Amino acid sequence: MNALKNPPGVKTTGMWLFVLSDLLTFATLLVIYTALRIANPDWPRPFTLSPAIVYATIMTVVLLASSLTMVWAVAAMAEDDRKNTVKWLLATIAGGIAFIALHLTEWRHLVLEDKITASTGLFGAVFFGVTGLHMLHVACGAVYLSILTAGVARGKFSAEDIETGGLYWHFVDLVWMFIFPLVYLMAVKP
Amino acid sequence: MTYVKVWIGLVALTLVEAGLAWIRTAPTLMLALLLVLSLIKAALIAWWFMHLRTHRPKPLTVLIPMLFVFVGLLLSLLPDGIRAGAMR
Amino acid sequence: MIIFSIDHKVIGKQYIGLALFSVVLGTLLSLIMRFHLVYPDAKVRLFQAMWPDGAPGGQMTPELYLSLMTMHGTIMVFFVLTTAPQSGFGNYFLPLQIGAHDMAFPVLNMLSFWTTALSLLTLLAAFFVEGGAPLSGWTAYPPLSGLGRITGPGEGLGQDLWILSIALFCVASLMAAINFIATIIELRAPGMGYFDMPLTCWGWFVTALISLFAFAVLLAGGILLLLDRTAGTSFFIPGGLIVNDQVQSRSGGSPILFQHLFWFFGHPEVYIAILPGMGLISTVLSVFSGKKVFGYKAMAIALVSIGGLGFVVWGHHMFISGMSPYSSIAFSVLTLAVGVPSAVKTFNWLATLWGGRLRFTAAMHYALGFVSLFITGGITGLVLGQPGLDVYFHDTYFVVAHFHLIMGVAAIFAIFAAFHYWFPLMYGRFLNERLGKVHFFLTFLGVYAVFVPLHFAGFVGNPRRYPDFKEYEFLKSVMPLHIGVTHAAYFLGAVQLIFLFNYFWSQRHGAIAPANPWNAATREWRND
């Protein structure tokens, strides 16, 4: 429709704006968590070191690893190496799916074994609220990257598109860097 | 290769965080340490993985500090949290 | 593909159409409310036909009144004041004014409009579900809004739909904000610096920045409130709550936290409504004075500082909520500080007029009306910014009068000015000038006749959100005042038909406009 196209960098700017806005949404949730926790001195701390924290650490490493493959995908696309881009993108999506699978297993364990759900108290509310929103972001990211992968394989999309997708994926990773210590580590059994 | 080094650093910091929980650091000290470590990790991701180091859209120099200001403003909710606890 | 168009002009017009539909609906709701306040015992067959549960036998229930109030506020704030000046006119004229070929992300732009439309439909659906529309006002404070059906008829599915609608609106506004900011930062014509942009663009820019962060916080609040309602969490539900003689089992949350989150968004939202208008008025005043805007740079900086201060004054909505009194002092001082950039703007508008060769077109009339309303409504803001006075005034009609004048009517006047000013570009024809001026004078008279008396009702301590005053001895004295206000509101509502007629008639039959009919200097009038 428009003969004129945007100069390079516009998409990156747009994605950064989204990232900043969404970071504030997550920050708000974490601030609410903090305020509620201050208001409730008897805040439960149900996590055991093993398996709960070990498990969560593995999840963190998996997510970090998917960020690393994403960086390689972006780098490959910058050199117009579509074959390797697709390879690393697929690896990233696999990492994301693995993270979700691990996460759901953990949720299942909490609900079935520890009898903690969103409605059993504020700990469950915060835990499932915050990690649920994050998991939604990972799932959206997996869909987003799948669309990119399919496009790259068919010769569509530019290096900037992959860079933009990478920004989103790293942002999801970055948010987890705050959720892991605040939601998990600060709730280890004393 | 730099990316791998950064990644190793991130994993190492994660293990340090988990280690803090392992040795049962006192909660307040642990919170402070965790926040510092998390900020370092976030900065590493933003600086290297999100390419802030090489490609920095101009508005970010203003908007990123703004984000910190907003989070700081939100922290003004905490005193009311303390009072809510006292009223319980 | 005219419906899912990705052309910024079409999307702008779609937004304006959506806002026009909403404003008609919102106005009708307010007229019904005004009628009920004066004739609380009237049995109206129409009400029964429209709301069989809310008005059995035609007699309106207090719950129905509250739900009308909620819908009036929500529709007006979100779907009129937020969409028309920013997304409507902004979409249409921002790319033209900065010399861009379109918005930065046309598809995102289309999506953002249709998400807004979906959000409006979701909101309106609340009227038709069991229990009807929610009762909790546009602020939706918990616990009233957090517990579900037990707190009132509209608090079941109606409130769920309301929250869903607002969450969708948040998403749509984030998309729009990203688009506006990216466009202004990246797509300005070569050589155009930030301080070369027209003040209208500054208004849209600052508004978009506010949206980007304010809606993010509201989104978080909305998500948590929705979880409270659907997942049984208790973020905002305190312990030991008794509703309708039933003890609620949930505990640990704090309703004050929601108020903080809401007003962290809510106060900037007020500026989202008014800042685009301020930018536009600066342009219109300067064009029809035949002078440059007085103190351009000060005007731009004032816009930025109003936007910035907007984020640090939210506590003045909560002076009576049980907030820490020390915070109240800080919020009060900061609130009064907003008066400084506002005064800079007002005096610069007056100085722009000074010594100019004024042309009293219809658009100029509305611009002058805007300045008048801005001062009237702004002065009472200084009154309400002081905790000592606010404690008395907060839940009275004084606040209603204040925010309707400054946030509602002033912003609407800016929209009228925008229609008259830009109509030649949008449709190639003029809006009828004479009808415009008649409409201006009648509307100007009408709004002051409606809202000035409400200040006095506030002095008496007349509480707002009450559906029926006749039970209260001390309100007997203000009933004549309310009867006057209601009739003024009928008059004001009827007068708007002139504008609607003018708007639709002039699209086909208005006088043909030449290129740049107003001798404006900004880029959108250039023929290239």
Side-chain angles (χ1 to χ4, degrees):
Chain A
M1 193 155 167
N2 280 300
L4 295 156
K5 286 185 90 172
N6 285 337
V10 178
K11 280 181 185 160
T12 327
T13 304
M15 184 52 86
W16 265 109
L17 292 172
F18 167 78
V19 164
L20 289 174
S21 174
D22 224 24
L23 272 176
L24 190 60
T25 303
F26 274 105
T28 309
L29 292 185
L30 291 175
V31 168
I32 290 291
Y33 163 43
T34 315
L36 289 173
R37 190 159 171 171
I38 293 173
N40 293 276
D42 51 348
W43 194 267
R45 293 157 71 183
F47 287 129
T48 51
L49 286 174
S50 177
I53 293 301
V54 173
Y55 205 83
T57 312
I58 293 171
M59 279 161 57
T60 310
V61 175
V62 168
L63 200 60
L64 278 171
S66 77
S67 252
L68 185 62
T69 52
M70 188 71 226
V71 169
W72 285 334
V74 172
M77 193 66 185
E79 285 160 21
D80 208 25
D81 180 357
R82 283 177 185 265
K83 211 174 131 219
N84 272 319
T85 310
V86 170
K87 184 178 85 186
W88 291 123
L89 277 175
L90 286 174
T92 310
I93 296 166
I97 292 172
F99 175 82
I100 294 178
L102 287 168
H103 211 343
L104 285 176
T105 318
E106 185 207 22
W107 273 30
R108 193 166 165 272
H109 182 82
L110 272 176
V111 173
L112 295 180
E113 309 284 320
D114 299 339
K115 309 285 180 214
I116 295 174
T117 64
S119 55
T120 49
L122 276 172
F123 172 78
V126 167
F127 177 82
F128 286 105
V130 174
T131 59
L133 189 67
H134 179 263
M135 202 200 291
L136 185 70
H137 277 78
V138 179
C140 290
V143 174
Y144 178 18
L145 292 189
S146 307
I147 295 169
L148 285 183
T149 314
V152 171
R154 281 184 288 127
K156 290 204 300 183
F157 293 129
S158 65
E160 195 187 350
D161 290 315
I162 308 302
E163 165 90 31
T164 313
L167 275 178
Y168 177 86
W169 193 260
H170 298 311
F171 145 72
V172 174
D173 195 13
L174 189 149
V175 168
W176 185 258
M177 293 306 123
F178 290 92
I179 296 176
F180 171 65
L182 293 177
V183 175
Y184 285 88
L185 296 182
M186 289 305 289
V188 172
K189 267 205 180 92
Chain B
M1 263 305 111
T2 334
Y3 290 133
V4 179
K5 280 184 201 154
V6 173
W7 185 77
I8 291 170
L10 284 167
V11 172
L13 285 176
T14 305
L15 292 178
V16 170
E17 287 183 338
L20 285 175
W22 200 275
I23 59 168
R24 300 291 200 292
T25 317
T28 318
L29 176 66
M30 178 152 128
L31 180 63
L33 289 174
L34 285 180
L35 279 178
V36 171
L37 290 173
S38 298
L39 280 172
I40 294 173
K41 282 161 74 181
L44 280 175
I45 291 177
W47 195 247
W48 290 99
F49 288 179
M50 295 169 94
H51 296 166
L52 260 194
R53 191 179 67 93
T54 47
H55 175 74
R56 197 172 319 147
K58 239 185 257 157
L60 293 184
T61 44
V62 180
L63 290 176
I64 292 179
M66 257 168 86
L67 183 70
F68 280 93
V69 171
F70 286 127
V71 175
L73 280 173
L74 282 171
L75 291 179
S76 72
L77 269 61
L78 298 188
D80 278 332
I82 297 168
R83 290 169 66 248
M87 285 189 287
R88 227 159 60 106
Chain C
M1 286 300 279
I2 192 75
I3 295 181
F4 293 105
S5 171
I6 56 169
D7 181 68
H8 69 103
K9 289 184 184 175
V10 177
I11 295 173
K13 280 186 182 173
Q14 286 173 329
Y15 266 116
I16 290 170
L18 182 135
L20 272 178
F21 170 77
S22 307
V23 80
V24 170
L25 197 63
T27 308
L28 288 176
L29 292 176
S30 71
L31 292 179
I32 296 174
M33 285 155 67
R34 281 313 311 181
F35 171 82
H36 179 74
L37 283 178
V38 176
Y39 307 107
D41 297 321
K43 293 183 171 45
V44 183
R45 211 171 288 159
L46 185 66
F47 293 169
Q48 191 186 11
M50 285 196 289
W51 298 287
D53 298 330
Q59 165 70 45
M60 190 187 289
T61 56
E63 286 83 1
L64 178 60
Y65 177 84
L66 285 176
S67 71
L68 296 181
M69 179 205 73
T70 304
M71 295 298 262
H72 166 75
T74 314
I75 289 173
M76 288 300 204
V77 171
F78 289 105
F79 296 99
V80 180
L81 298 175
T82 311
T83 50
Q86 176 79 2
S87 306
F89 289 107
N91 252 319
Y92 200 110
F93 293 104
L94 172 72
L96 300 180
Q97 286 198 331
I98 62 172
H101 58 91
D102 199 322
M103 296 297 271
F105 309 112
V107 177
L108 193 71
N109 205 6
M110 180 269 285
L111 282 176
S112 120
F113 171 73
W114 285 103
T115 314
T116 310
L118 186 65
S119 161
L120 179 60
L121 286 178
T122 314
L123 182 72
L124 295 182
F127 267 130
F128 301 102
V129 296
E130 202 218 325
L135 319 175
S136 51
W138 84 284
T139 51
Y141 281 2
L144 176 60
S145 63
L147 285 170
R149 189 69 174 77
I150 186 169
T151 51
E155 291 303 308
L157 193 50
Q159 184 79 56
D160 284 332
L161 286 172
W162 187 94
I163 299 175
L164 188 63
S165 158
I166 297 309
L168 283 171
F169 194 86
C170 288
V171 174
S173 301
L174 287 180
M175 293 196 263
I178 290 169
N179 225 338
F180 272 79
I181 301 172
T183 307
I184 291 174
I185 288 172
E186 303 280 358
L187 298 186
R188 274 169 293 126
M192 183 186 251
Y194 287 103
F195 282 106
D196 300 324
M197 295 193 304
L199 281 171
T200 31
C201 296
W202 270 102
W204 291 318
F205 189 32
V206 177
T207 305
L209 283 170
I210 295 175
S211 305
L212 188 74
F213 291 110
F215 278 106
V217 174
L218 180 67
L219 187 60
I223 290 169
L224 295 182
L225 189 59
L226 202 59
L227 285 177
D228 268 4
R229 297 178 52 81
T230 55
T233 61
S234 56
F235 290 106
F236 303 130
I237 314 294
L241 201 62
I242 299 172
V243 178
N244 291 343
D245 300 329
Q246 291 176 43
V247 181
Q248 302 297 308
S249 60
R250 294 190 247 163
S251 72
S254 160
I256 301 280
L257 287 179
F258 182 83
Q259 295 189 17
H260 276 298
L261 291 192
F262 183 82
W263 288 114
F264 191 92
F265 149 80
H267 196 78
E269 164 65 34
V270 176
Y271 295 155
I272 290 174
I274 197 80
L275 285 182
M278 289 183 174
L280 175 85
I281 293 308
S282 310
T283 305
V284 171
L285 285 179
S286 98
V287 167
F288 294 116
S289 307
K291 284 172 64 190
K292 278 187 180 169
V293 179
F294 184 86
Y296 167 86
K297 219 165 195 172
M299 290 296 250
I301 293 170
L303 279 174
V304 175
S305 32
I306 292 177
L309 282 169
F311 275 102
V312 292
V313 298
W314 80 88
H316 69 220
H317 297 269
M318 298 170 58
F319 286 148
I320 61 162
S321 297
M323 191 178 53
S324 160
Y326 297 106
S327 319
S328 295
I329 296 170
F331 280 126
S332 173
V333 171
L334 288 164
T335 303
L336 299 185
V338 180
V340 176
S342 306
V344 167
K345 298 209 74 76
T346 310
F347 286 116
N348 281 2
W349 285 325
L350 298 181
T352 305
L353 296 173
W354 189 265
R357 293 177 52 207
L358 307 189
R359 283 182 288 162
F360 285 101
T361 59
M364 182 68 159
H365 280 76
Y366 289 109
L368 294 171
F370 174 94
V371 177
S372 158
L373 289 161
F374 183 69
I375 296 171
T376 320
I379 292 287
T380 49
L382 295 177
V383 175
L384 291 168
Q386 301 171 56
L389 288 169
D390 185 73
V391 167
Y392 179 76
F393 280 130
H394 192 87
D395 275 339
T396 71
Y397 268 86
F398 192 86
V399 171
V400 175
H402 159 70
F403 73 71
H404 273 93
L405 276 180
I406 189 136
M407 178 195 187
V409 183
I412 297 270
F413 266 55
I415 296 171
F416 284 139
F419 271 124
H420 277 273
Y421 180 63
W422 276 322
F423 205 79
L425 263 188
M426 292 168 75
Y427 295 101
R429 291 169 187 272
F430 286 106
L431 272 177
N432 188 293
E433 282 284 309
R434 181 168 302 185
L435 276 181
K437 286 176 197 170
V438 169
H439 172 256
F440 164 77
F441 280 112
L442 296 180
T443 307
F444 193 67
L445 201 69
V447 292
Y448 272 118
V450 168
F451 293 112
V452 168
L454 291 184
H455 288 96
F456 292 98
F459 289 152
V460 181
N462 190 350
R464 54 186 169 133
R465 297 194 174 190
Y466 278 30
D468 187 352
F469 301 142
K470 67 175 187 304
E471 309 290 328
Y472 307 96
E473 192 59 35
F474 77 104
L475 290 179
K476 289 253 157 46
S477 63
V478 290
M479 274 320 279
L481 199 105
H482 275 296
I483 292 171
V485 168
T486 294
H487 286 91
Y490 294 161
F491 170 76
L492 186 57
V495 163
Q496 301 318 308
L497 295 175
I498 301 176
F499 175 78
L500 285 181
F501 169 77
N502 195 358
Y503 179 72
F504 289 110
W505 184 81
S506 297
Q507 286 181 20
R508 285 166 175 266
H509 306 289
I512 304 271
N516 198 357
W518 314 120
N519 277 328
T522 41
R523 206 176 257 267
E524 79 268 28
W525 299 98
R526 270 190 226 163
N527 239 345
D528 52 27

